Amino acid sequence: MKFVFSGQILDAGLRELRRNRELVPVEPQVVDLLLYLLKNRDRVVTKDDLIAAVWGGPIVSDSTLTRRINAARTAIGDSGK
């Protein structure tokens, strides 16, 4: 399955992100995070939802979650503005 948005393609099968056809290096958990958010784009996703889906449910620190979210935003070119 491929997700196309803002000139980018996230290929779930290949587990890769491309921006303007160029490969964007991302960590596996960042790919998992982006895929989960895209698949659930029609609803508000909670912190607990993310932890269960991306980390499998173990206790994850807020800083770890924040770092992965920031990495995902950077990967897709989202400055937050």
Side-chain angles (χ1 to χ4, degrees), residues 9-49:
I9 300 171
L10 182 61
D11 189 319
L14 296 176
R15 299 185 53 74
E16 66 182 24
L17 175 65
R18 291 190 176 270
R19 183 181 311 128
N20 300 322
R21 298 187 180 148
E22 292 189 31
L23 186 62
V24 177
V26 289
E27 297 176 20
Q29 276 187 334
V30 173
V31 172
D32 292 341
L33 177 64
L34 288 169
L35 287 170
Y36 185 79
L37 291 172
L38 285 165
K39 289 176 182 176
N40 292 279
R41 64 189 172 274
D42 60 336
R43 67 182 188 92
V44 174
V45 176
T46 69
K47 175 179 147 182
D48 291 337
D49 292 337

Side-chain angles (χ1 to χ4, degrees), residues 45-64:
V45 176
T46 69
K47 175 179 147 182
D48 291 337
D49 292 337
L50 289 174
I51 291 170
V54 177
W55 285 270
I59 296 177
V60 175
S61 69
D62 286 345
S63 64
T64 297

